[in-house]
């Protein structure tokens, strides 16, 4: 029997325990469906004996924003994370919202060498105290595994490992390499990776792994390390040699993690990383995939844990694991470098790593807070929605017959994890199982900037084309009143804020936003007659806190089935306002936040009728008798008379 309430609360919080399973992208509708189908017996048990509520997500419902809401108890106005993508209003330069990694700013130049003065830096951009820092102040032990929006990890006394937002060794958010002798393959950069042409000579291939930029060299060229491949002329097998490691792969086989050192300065100054090799094909064409070079958790070149030794301890305890924030290589699947089965092998490895660490760490938990994050439902719902939804433009019956159950399979693994937790519950242990948002189909792309251009809010320079890969290329800012950026953001070209702003703050900006809002809400898909956009929130209404005016002025909430197109989010202008989504990335949540709530389950009755992500940090603190921090806008979900925000 699961305890649903406490018989008595101890005066001391020393015996109080709180377990949180943070499951990115667990969807309310899918979870109900899988429970009904008998696939989630442990979730069914928890719902029956505890409680289950929708969890109001963030505006907009994007993971960095949502998890920042949870971490701080504030919305974007308090923590300053509004989207995956931010911009400098003076230059419109784009940057990743959650963190910034930079090399040394100054150097002495000697020939081809540049000797850095001072070190590089990794900067956490989220504002506000994290809930575990407040627990630290009150002496509450805590373990925080891979929570997003915590790179580099904030100073903490507990054990933390950074998650989404952690770059690979090259400082990118995942750059794979694909080596092939296929003359029809388009060489060069692709989305999330690089296609590198090679030659097979005498059944042998030599090539280079691409490492981090070398700031000790003028121009900071990328470091490289050679490797070789000996291909069996008769069998579909190859032997790979890199830095003294030799291993044999059959066609269709993945390597274990391979550690690689990249030399910055001869004899010292090496940087350590690790990668996995996948032999896609030996004959008749050579095709070799190499994963992004991950930071080696046993010897991290970037700060990824507190204490810094914790990542090494996890490696010793449970083996090597992906450290890159988004470990599943969705871009390789979108690019066609990996097919569904190959990608699924990689994605299952990610979850297997996390479960190994969970199985090693959870049994040792006996006091304070234990938080563990799982990414698998989110990334795999993005990639495999198309195979469980016959209405999707990319639905393929043959592929669905193979992998149409992929999403359900990952949900069932989450049920297995919950099954390990339930026996540990007692009168002094609270369990929260939660997700940051839900999921929806992504059938069609809406190109917001194309719409703004067609409706006269963006103007191009005379005679200039709108076809360019450069953000906002050829825009005439002296006649442009609004622009879209990021997955949900719409900005006014405001005088005094943007370098060429023309719209006066105040009444003029307010009336322009009201006009655009009305027109966007009236946009219909001519094929389906559905509304493309179901709500538009103004920042002034949606956000509270000191940073409320630093993000988008308007938040565009798309209907289920619709999302901003990939090009428009980076300031480009595709020809059509609406396009079918032909990308394997077929499910999404970056839409109207009311349509994609997360989930909240507990072994205790939840008193809040409509709990929100901003309630979770106050709930955590209240479990240990700690008052919520200044600026937190929610309160404990177990508190009678809960007021929602």
């Amino acid at each position: 029997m699961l305890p649903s309430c406490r018989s008595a609360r101890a005066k001391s919080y020393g015996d109080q325990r709180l377990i949180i399973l943070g499951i990115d992208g667990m969807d309310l509708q899918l979870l109900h469906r899988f429970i009904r189908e008998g696939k989630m017996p442990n979730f069914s048990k928890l719902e029956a004996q505890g409680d289950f509520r929708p969890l109001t997500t963030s505006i907009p419902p994007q993971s960095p924003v949502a998890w920042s809401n949870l971490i701080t108890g504030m919305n974007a106005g308090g923590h300053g994370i509004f989207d995956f993508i931010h911009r400098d209003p003076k230059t419109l330069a784009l940057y990743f919202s959650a963190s910034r990694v930079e090399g040394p700013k100054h150097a002495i130049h000697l020939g081809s060498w540049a000797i850095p003065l001072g070190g590089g830096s990794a900067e956490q951009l989220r504002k506000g105290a994290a809930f575990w820092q407040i627990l630290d102040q009150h002496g509450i032990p805590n373990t925080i595994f891979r929570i997003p929006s915590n790179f580099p990890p904030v100073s903490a006394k507990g054990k933390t490992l950074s998650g989404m937002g952690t770059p690979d060794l090259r400082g990118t958010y995942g750059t794979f390499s694909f080596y092939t002798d296929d003359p029809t393959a388009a060489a060069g950069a692709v989305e999330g990776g690089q296609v590198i042409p090679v030659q097979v000579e005498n059944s042998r291939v030599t090539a280079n792994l691409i490492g981090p930029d070398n700031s000790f060299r003028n121009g900071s060229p990328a470091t490289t390390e050679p490797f070789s491949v000996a291909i069996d002329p008769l069998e579909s097998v190859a032997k790979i040699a890199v830095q003294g490691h030799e291993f044999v792969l059959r066609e269709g086989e993945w390597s274990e993690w391979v550690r690689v050192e990249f030399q910055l300065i001869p004899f010292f100054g090496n940087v350590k990383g690790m990668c996995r090799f996948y032999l896609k094909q030996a004959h008749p064409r050579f095709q070799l995939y190499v994963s992004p070079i991950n930071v080696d958790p046993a010897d991290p070149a970037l700060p990824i844990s507190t204490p810094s030794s914790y990542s090494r301890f996890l490696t010793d305890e449970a083996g090597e694991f992906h450290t890159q924030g988004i470990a599943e290589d969705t871009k390789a699947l979108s690019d066609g470098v990996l097919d569904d089965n190959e990608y699924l092998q990689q994605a299952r490895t990610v979850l297997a790593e996390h479960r190994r660490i969970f199985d090693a760490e959870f049994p040792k938990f006996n006091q304070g807070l234990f938080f563990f994050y799982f990414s698998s439902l989110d990334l795999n719902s993005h990639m495999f929605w198309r195979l469980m939804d016959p209405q999707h433009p990319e639905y393929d019956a043959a592929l669905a017959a193979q992998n149409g159950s992929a999403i359900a399979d990952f949900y069932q693994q989450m049920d297995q994890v919950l099954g390990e937790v339930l026996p540990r519950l007692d009168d002094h242990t609270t369990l929260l199982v939660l997700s940051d948002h839900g999921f929806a189909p992504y059938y069609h792309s809406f190109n917001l900037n194309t719409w703004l251009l067609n409706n006269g809010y963006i103007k191009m320079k005379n005679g200039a084309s709108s076809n360019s890969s450069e953000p906002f290329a050829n825009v005439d800012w002296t006649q442009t009143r609004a622009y879209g950026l990021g997955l949900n953001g719409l900005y006014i070209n405001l005088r005094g804020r943007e370098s060429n702003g023309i719209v006066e703050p105040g009444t003029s900006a307010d009336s322009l936003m009201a006009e655009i809002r009305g027109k966007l809400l009236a946009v219909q898909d001519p094929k389906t007659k559905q509304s493309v956009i179901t709500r538009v929130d103004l920042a002034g209404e949606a956000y509270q806190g000191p940073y409320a005016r630093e993000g988008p002025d308007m938040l565009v909430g798309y209907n289920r089935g619709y999302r901003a197109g990939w090009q428009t989010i980076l300031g480009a202008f595709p020809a059509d306002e609406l396009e079918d989504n032909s990308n394997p990335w077929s499910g999404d949540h970056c839409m109207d936040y009311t349509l994609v709530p997360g989930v909240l389950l507990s072994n205790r009755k939840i008193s809040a009728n409509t709990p929100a992500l901003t309630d979770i940090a106050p709930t955590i603190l209240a479990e240990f008798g700690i008052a919520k921090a200044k600026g937190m806008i929610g309160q404990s979900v177990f508190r009678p008379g809960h007021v929602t925000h």
Side-chain angles (χ1 to χ4, degrees):
M1 190 66 183
L2 295 178
S4 59
C5 60
R6 286 188 186 76
S7 54
R9 180 182 283 275
K11 291 181 181 178
S12 164
Y13 293 92
D15 59 354
Q16 173 59 25
R17 291 182 294 273
L18 175 59
I19 301 164
I20 301 179
L21 300 182
I23 304 176
D24 205 309
M26 177 168 269
D27 179 65
L28 185 73
Q29 294 181 27
L30 288 181
L31 181 56
H32 275 307
R33 174 179 142 192
F34 296 145
I35 288 174
R36 284 196 312 271
E37 293 174 355
K39 294 176 179 173
M40 311 285 284
N42 292 302
F43 274 85
S44 180
K45 185 177 182 182
L46 181 58
E47 179 184 21
Q49 300 184 10
D51 218 341
F52 181 3
R53 297 285 168 85
L55 185 63
T56 301
T57 185
S58 56
I59 307 175
Q62 300 180 29
S63 294
V65 188
W67 289 104
S68 294
N69 279 24
L70 183 149
I71 287 167
T72 64
M74 302 184 284
N75 62 32
H79 56 65
I81 305 297
F82 298 91
D83 196 291
F84 278 95
I85 300 164
H86 283 200
R87 82 354 173 175
D88 180 335
K90 294 300 181 188
T91 63
L92 290 189
L94 311 185
Y95 61 94
F96 180 64
S97 65
S99 61
R100 182 184 292 126
V101 178
E102 294 181 338
K105 288 185 168 61
H106 304 288
I108 298 171
H109 296 274
L110 298 171
S112 63
W113 294 93
I115 311 302
L117 299 176
S121 66
E123 182 184 1
Q124 162 81 253
L125 300 181
R126 173 179 47 75
K127 311 295 196 299
F131 63 77
W132 59 91
Q133 292 180 299
I134 300 170
L135 294 179
D136 284 346
Q137 293 168 9
H138 291 81
I140 306 297
N142 57 84
T143 297
I144 312 292
F145 181 79
R146 287 192 85 242
I147 199 165
S149 298
N150 188 42
F151 173 82
V154 294
S155 176
K157 296 175 184 174
K159 296 182 291 186
T160 73
L161 183 74
S162 64
M164 184 184 296
T166 306
D168 62 16
L169 196 67
R170 296 176 66 178
T172 74
Y173 296 96
T175 302
F176 66 81
S177 299
F178 186 61
Y179 302 85
T180 181
D181 68 341
D182 186 346
T184 66
V190 293
E191 182 77 22
Q194 202 161 351
V195 177
I196 300 168
V198 295
Q199 299 293 322
V200 178
E201 296 177 348
N202 299 320
S203 299
R204 188 175 177 83
V205 171
T206 56
N208 287 316
L209 295 175
I210 304 170
D213 292 347
N214 188 351
S215 57
F216 289 91
R217 289 277 190 184
N218 287 327
S220 297
T223 53
T224 59
E225 284 296 324
F227 71 96
S228 65
V229 184
I231 305 166
D232 190 299
L234 300 177
E235 301 290 330
S236 295
V237 65
K239 183 169 74 173
I240 298 171
V242 55
Q243 288 190 349
H245 306 286
E246 287 193 348
F247 50 94
V248 173
L249 294 180
R250 294 197 168 275
E251 201 171 89
E253 188 176 6
W254 290 83
S255 75
E256 299 297 320
W257 284 107
V258 179
R259 288 196 164 99
V260 184
E261 293 189 31
F262 293 91
Q263 189 180 80
L264 302 180
I265 303 176
F267 310 116
F268 65 96
N270 287 5
V271 175
K272 296 178 181 178
M274 60 183 196
C275 59
R276 295 178 72 218
F277 292 75
Y278 173 70
L279 183 60
K280 185 178 175 79
Q281 191 176 99
H283 307 291
R285 289 295 176 193
F286 175 76
Q287 295 180 330
L288 179 72
Y289 164 94
V290 179
S291 74
I293 312 288
N294 277 231
V295 172
D296 183 351
D299 194 358
L302 293 169
I304 60 171
S305 70
T306 64
S308 58
S309 59
Y310 182 50
S311 62
R312 176 187 284 276
F313 171 80
L314 290 175
T315 307
D316 293 341
E317 185 179 54
E320 292 98 344
F321 55 90
H322 290 79
T323 53
Q324 179 188 316
I326 297 179
E328 296 86 346
D329 200 345
T330 61
K331 298 300 185 187
L333 177 53
S334 290
D335 289 330
V337 167
L338 297 179
D339 65 22
D340 287 351
N341 289 319
E342 293 163 339
Y343 164 81
L344 267 174
Q345 282 183 276
Q346 193 262 342
R348 287 171 180 144
T349 297
V350 173
L351 180 52
E353 290 173 350
H354 296 165
R355 290 194 64 179
R356 277 204 311 272
I357 295 173
F358 181 87
D359 290 346
E361 288 285 274
F362 181 63
K364 294 185 291 189
F365 169 65
N366 53 31
Q367 59 178 331
L369 168 68
F370 183 85
F371 175 99
F372 206 94
Y373 168 89
F374 292 96
S375 61
S376 295
L377 295 194
D378 179 84
L379 275 303
N380 295 297
S381 296
H382 279 302
M383 305 316 291
F384 287 101
W385 192 285
R386 63 196 156 88
L387 297 189
M388 68 170 192
D389 183 354
Q391 296 180 25
H392 198 281
E394 285 298 289
Y395 178 78
D396 182 303
L399 294 177
Q402 288 186 57
N403 292 312
S405 67
I407 293 174
D409 294 344
F410 282 106
Y411 269 79
Q412 288 178 284
Q413 287 214 49
M414 293 299 95
D415 191 74
Q416 292 169 18
V417 172
L418 180 59
E420 296 179 46
V421 174
L422 295 183
R424 292 284 306 275
L425 302 182
D426 57 31
D427 284 348
H428 296 294
T429 305
T430 298
L431 169 66
L432 296 177
V433 182
L434 56 85
S435 65
D436 53 335
H437 52 68
F439 249 85
Y442 170 20
Y443 300 140
H444 310 289
S445 294
F446 181 72
N447 293 313
L448 178 60
N449 281 308
T450 304
W451 183 89
L452 290 168
L453 178 65
N454 292 346
N455 284 270
Y457 297 108
I458 291 176
K459 297 285 188 183
M460 290 292 173
K461 295 171 184 173
N462 284 337
S465 165
S466 59
N467 296 328
S468 173
S469 58
E470 202 162 319
F472 301 112
N474 301 321
V475 168
D476 182 351
W477 293 103
T478 65
Q479 297 187 72
T480 289
R481 293 179 288 161
Y483 59 99
L485 190 63
L487 285 150
N488 298 90
L490 197 157
Y491 296 80
I492 302 303
N493 190 24
L494 210 59
R495 188 183 301 279
R497 184 182 67 183
E498 275 77 3
S499 57
N500 294 298
I502 63 169
V503 179
E504 293 293 342
T507 305
S508 295
D510 291 345
S511 61
L512 176 61
M513 287 191 287
E515 176 186 314
I516 293 174
R517 179 192 236 173
K519 287 186 178 180
L520 284 174
L521 291 172
V523 172
Q524 275 197 343
D525 184 333
K527 293 180 182 176
T528 65
K529 306 304 179 189
Q530 284 189 305
S531 294
V532 173
I533 293 158
T534 48
R535 69 180 294 129
V536 178
D537 290 282
L538 305 184
E541 299 167 354
Y543 298 142
Q544 301 83 42
Y547 306 103
R549 300 289 182 177
E550 293 195 4
D553 300 300
M554 307 169 73
L555 294 311
V556 180
Y558 296 98
N559 200 357
R560 286 179 71 91
Y562 298 87
R563 203 206 74 175
W566 291 106
Q567 293 173 278
T568 200
I569 65 178
L570 296 173
F573 301 89
D576 298 321
E577 290 179 14
L578 273 170
E579 300 172 312
D580 282 349
N581 174 25
S582 59
N583 195 305
W585 185 287
S586 50
D588 216 286
H589 46 82
C590 299
M591 41 195 65
D592 177 345
Y593 77 96
T594 66
L595 303 180
V596 284
V599 302
L600 178 65
L601 295 95
S602 179
N603 62 324
R604 295 173 56 193
K605 292 298 178 186
I606 297 167
S607 61
N609 290 325
T610 53
L613 283 170
T614 45
D615 295 323
I616 301 303
T619 301
I620 293 168
L621 299 181
E623 284 301 287
F624 298 99
I626 303 168
K628 71 178 185 180
K630 182 181 178 183
M632 288 186 176
I633 61 176
Q635 57 185 297
S636 173
V637 300
F638 302 124
R639 179 178 168 184
H642 175 280
V643 179
T644 59
H645 294 267

